[in-house]
Amino acid sequence: MDVKPCPFCGSYNIAIDKCTSRVRCKDCFATSGLISKYLSKAERKEDAAIMAWNTRVNEKDD
């Protein structure tokens, strides 16, 4: 699953924390939101975290 750049600073320096199932920008330290909304759509917790991270206000849900 592709990870979008940080919505705040535009960085592609992104990490996926498997312990907390969150995506984090290594430059500005922004983190993904709660993954519970995406768990039913994802095969793994990491995928749910990426879905949460990739969510943008001006884009429609797929």
Side-chain angles (χ1 to χ4, degrees):
M1 179 169 279
D2 293 331
V3 179
K4 291 182 178 181
C6 178
F8 300 102
C9 72
S11 174
Y12 283 89
N13 192 11
I14 306 297
I16 300 172
D17 185 337
K18 292 185 182 202
C19 291
T20 61
S21 298
R22 293 210 174 205
V23 177
R24 180 176 58 87
C25 175
K26 290 180 164 185
D27 290 334
C28 75
F29 306 107
T31 60
S32 61
L34 297 175
I35 65 169
S36 56
K37 175 181 175 181
Y38 303 96
L39 284 173
S40 64
K41 300 176 186 177
E43 292 183 23
R44 305 174 309 146
K45 286 182 180 179
E46 291 83 12
D47 291 337
I50 293 170
M51 286 178 191
W53 176 264
N54 286 345
T55 300
R56 301 295 191 262
V57 174
N58 296 327
E59 294 180 4
K60 293 181 180 180
D61 282 343
D62 292 332

